[in-house]
Short mmCIF file of all heavy atoms in Angstrom, two decimals:
data_model
loop_
_atom_site.label_atom_id
_atom_site.label_comp_id
_atom_site.label_asym_id
_atom_site.label_seq_id
_atom_site.Cartn_x
_atom_site.Cartn_y
_atom_site.Cartn_z
N ARG B 55 -7.09 -6.12 -12.84
CA ARG B 55 -6.03 -7.09 -13.08
C ARG B 55 -5.73 -7.92 -11.85
O ARG B 55 -5.33 -9.08 -11.98
CB ARG B 55 -4.75 -6.35 -13.50
CG ARG B 55 -4.91 -5.48 -14.72
CD ARG B 55 -5.15 -6.32 -15.97
NE ARG B 55 -5.30 -5.49 -17.16
CZ ARG B 55 -5.26 -5.97 -18.39
NH1 ARG B 55 -5.12 -7.27 -18.60
NH2 ARG B 55 -5.40 -5.16 -19.41
N ASN B 56 -5.86 -7.32 -10.69
CA ASN B 56 -5.53 -8.01 -9.46
C ASN B 56 -6.53 -7.60 -8.40
O ASN B 56 -7.05 -6.47 -8.45
CB ASN B 56 -4.12 -7.66 -8.98
CG ASN B 56 -3.08 -8.02 -10.02
OD1 ASN B 56 -2.82 -9.20 -10.27
ND2 ASN B 56 -2.49 -7.03 -10.64
N LYS B 57 -6.83 -8.51 -7.47
CA LYS B 57 -7.78 -8.15 -6.43
C LYS B 57 -7.45 -8.80 -5.12
O LYS B 57 -6.84 -9.88 -5.07
CB LYS B 57 -9.21 -8.48 -6.87
CG LYS B 57 -9.56 -9.94 -6.92
CD LYS B 57 -10.96 -10.15 -7.51
CE LYS B 57 -12.05 -9.51 -6.67
NZ LYS B 57 -12.32 -10.16 -5.38
N GLY B 58 -7.88 -8.17 -4.06
CA GLY B 58 -7.72 -8.71 -2.72
C GLY B 58 -8.95 -9.48 -2.30
O GLY B 58 -9.73 -9.94 -3.14
N ASN B 59 -9.12 -9.62 -1.00
CA ASN B 59 -10.19 -10.48 -0.47
C ASN B 59 -11.39 -9.68 0.02
O ASN B 59 -11.78 -9.80 1.17
CB ASN B 59 -9.65 -11.33 0.69
CG ASN B 59 -8.49 -12.20 0.25
OD1 ASN B 59 -8.37 -12.58 -0.90
ND2 ASN B 59 -7.62 -12.54 1.19
N PHE B 60 -11.94 -8.86 -0.82
CA PHE B 60 -13.10 -8.07 -0.43
C PHE B 60 -14.35 -8.60 -1.14
O PHE B 60 -14.27 -9.13 -2.24
CB PHE B 60 -12.88 -6.59 -0.78
CG PHE B 60 -12.07 -5.86 0.25
CD1 PHE B 60 -10.69 -6.01 0.28
CD2 PHE B 60 -12.67 -5.05 1.19
CE1 PHE B 60 -9.93 -5.36 1.24
CE2 PHE B 60 -11.93 -4.38 2.15
CZ PHE B 60 -10.54 -4.54 2.17
N PRO B 61 -15.51 -8.42 -0.49
CA PRO B 61 -16.75 -8.90 -1.10
C PRO B 61 -17.12 -8.11 -2.34
O PRO B 61 -16.60 -7.02 -2.60
CB PRO B 61 -17.79 -8.71 0.01
CG PRO B 61 -17.22 -7.66 0.90
CD PRO B 61 -15.73 -7.82 0.85
N GLY B 62 -18.07 -8.64 -3.08
CA GLY B 62 -18.47 -8.03 -4.33
C GLY B 62 -19.10 -6.65 -4.19
O GLY B 62 -19.27 -5.95 -5.19
N ARG B 63 -19.44 -6.25 -2.95
CA ARG B 63 -19.97 -4.90 -2.74
C ARG B 63 -18.94 -3.83 -3.12
O ARG B 63 -19.29 -2.69 -3.39
CB ARG B 63 -20.35 -4.68 -1.26
CG ARG B 63 -21.41 -5.59 -0.73
CD ARG B 63 -21.83 -5.19 0.68
NE ARG B 63 -20.75 -5.24 1.65
CZ ARG B 63 -20.17 -4.18 2.18
NH1 ARG B 63 -20.54 -2.97 1.83
NH2 ARG B 63 -19.22 -4.33 3.08
N PHE B 64 -17.70 -4.23 -3.12
CA PHE B 64 -16.62 -3.31 -3.49
C PHE B 64 -16.28 -3.55 -4.96
O PHE B 64 -15.90 -4.67 -5.35
CB PHE B 64 -15.39 -3.57 -2.64
CG PHE B 64 -15.56 -3.22 -1.19
CD1 PHE B 64 -16.19 -4.09 -0.32
CD2 PHE B 64 -15.12 -2.00 -0.69
CE1 PHE B 64 -16.37 -3.77 1.03
CE2 PHE B 64 -15.28 -1.67 0.64
CZ PHE B 64 -15.91 -2.56 1.50
N SER B 65 -16.42 -2.53 -5.75
CA SER B 65 -16.14 -2.67 -7.17
C SER B 65 -15.44 -1.42 -7.66
O SER B 65 -15.40 -0.39 -6.97
CB SER B 65 -17.42 -2.90 -7.96
OG SER B 65 -18.29 -1.79 -7.83
N GLY B 66 -14.90 -1.50 -8.84
CA GLY B 66 -14.22 -0.34 -9.38
C GLY B 66 -14.31 -0.32 -10.89
O GLY B 66 -14.86 -1.25 -11.52
N ARG B 67 -13.80 0.73 -11.43
CA ARG B 67 -13.65 0.79 -12.88
C ARG B 67 -12.56 1.80 -13.21
O ARG B 67 -12.19 2.64 -12.38
CB ARG B 67 -14.96 1.16 -13.56
CG ARG B 67 -15.55 2.49 -13.18
CD ARG B 67 -16.81 2.72 -14.00
NE ARG B 67 -17.50 3.95 -13.63
CZ ARG B 67 -18.47 4.49 -14.36
NH1 ARG B 67 -18.85 3.93 -15.48
NH2 ARG B 67 -19.06 5.60 -13.96
N GLN B 68 -12.07 1.69 -14.42
CA GLN B 68 -11.05 2.63 -14.88
C GLN B 68 -11.45 3.12 -16.25
O GLN B 68 -11.94 2.36 -17.09
CB GLN B 68 -9.68 1.95 -14.95
CG GLN B 68 -8.54 2.92 -15.27
CD GLN B 68 -7.20 2.23 -15.38
OE1 GLN B 68 -7.10 1.12 -15.87
NE2 GLN B 68 -6.15 2.91 -14.92
N PHE B 69 -11.20 4.39 -16.47
CA PHE B 69 -11.57 5.01 -17.73
C PHE B 69 -10.37 5.07 -18.68
O PHE B 69 -9.23 4.81 -18.28
CB PHE B 69 -12.13 6.40 -17.46
CG PHE B 69 -13.31 6.39 -16.53
CD1 PHE B 69 -13.15 6.58 -15.17
CD2 PHE B 69 -14.60 6.15 -17.01
CE1 PHE B 69 -14.24 6.55 -14.30
CE2 PHE B 69 -15.68 6.11 -16.15
CZ PHE B 69 -15.50 6.31 -14.80
#
Side-chain angles (χ1 to χ4, degrees):
Chain B
R55 302 293 180 166
N56 301 291
K57 71 186 298 290
N59 301 333
F60 278 79
R63 299 187 299 108
F64 292 81
S65 63
R67 60 177 176 167
Q68 187 182 36
F69 303 94

